[in-house]
């Protein structure tokens, strides 16, 4: 297990779609309806609220992508995924469906407007942040995906 320390150079806050807030509201409404049922022990709706808070709240609070000098860290919910830039093969906006067919990694997106990070060594990732286009360009630059080609490789010298 790799443990890295240091302060991030750049932080992108996660985007949370309106449907996620609606889901949280539905859970709270369900707990309120349970609490109004005659004969319902008070512990049941309280347990529903506690379980929902443990499951839903961290995604709102811990939802960001941190860029360091040599790696990116995806913080989502209770987890943290670390991907060195030299493991990144591609970064692109994810259109329509959140995950591509070949996806075998981490979903850290609470929105369908997302960025797909192809990093098979560490597991691909799908993230959704405020400023997806800026994240794509910054990751492509840091991973060397937009590096100019060597003379003679593109037919121009």
């Amino acid at each position: 297990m790799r443990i890295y320390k240091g302060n991030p150079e750049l932080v992108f806050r996660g985007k949370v779609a309106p449907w996620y807030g609606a889901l949280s509201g539905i859970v709270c409404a369900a707990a309120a309806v349970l609490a109004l049922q005659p004969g319902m022990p008070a512990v049941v709706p309280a347990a529903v609220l506690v379980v929902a808070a443990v499951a839903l709240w961290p995604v709102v609070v811990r939802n960001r992508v941190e860029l360091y000098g040599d790696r990116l860290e995806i913080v989502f919910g209770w987890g943290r995924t670390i991907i060195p830039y030299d493991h990144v093969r591609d970064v692109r906006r994810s259109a329509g469906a959140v995950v591509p067919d070949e996806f075998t990694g981490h979903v850290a997106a609470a929105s369908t407007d997302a960025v797909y990070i192809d990093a098979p060594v560490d597991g691909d990732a799908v993230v959704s942040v405020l400023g997806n286009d800026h994240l794509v360009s910054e990751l492509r630059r840091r991973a060397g995906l937009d590096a100019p080609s060597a003379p003679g490789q593109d037919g121009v010298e």
Side-chain angles (χ1 to χ4, degrees), residues 24-115:
S24 300
I26 289 170
V27 169
C28 291
V33 168
L34 284 174
L36 295 174
Q37 298 300 317
M40 176 68 65
V43 73
V44 174
V48 169
L49 288 175
V50 168
V51 169
V54 168
L56 298 173
W57 183 249
V59 172
V60 174
V61 174
R62 292 180 42 95
N63 181 1
R64 65 186 179 275
V65 175
E66 300 173 347
L67 302 184
Y68 294 83
D70 61 342
R71 70 193 183 279
L72 70 115
E73 295 189 12
I74 301 165
V75 180
F76 188 76
W78 299 109
R80 179 179 292 264
T81 303
I82 299 169
I83 303 174
Y85 297 130
D86 57 354
H87 292 181
V88 176
R89 289 191 183 162
D90 190 22
V91 179
R92 64 183 183 271
R93 293 292 297 263
S94 180
V98 174
V99 292
D101 293 337
E102 70 272 12
F103 181 77
T104 59
H106 315 280
V107 176
S111 173
T112 55
D113 178 25
V115 173

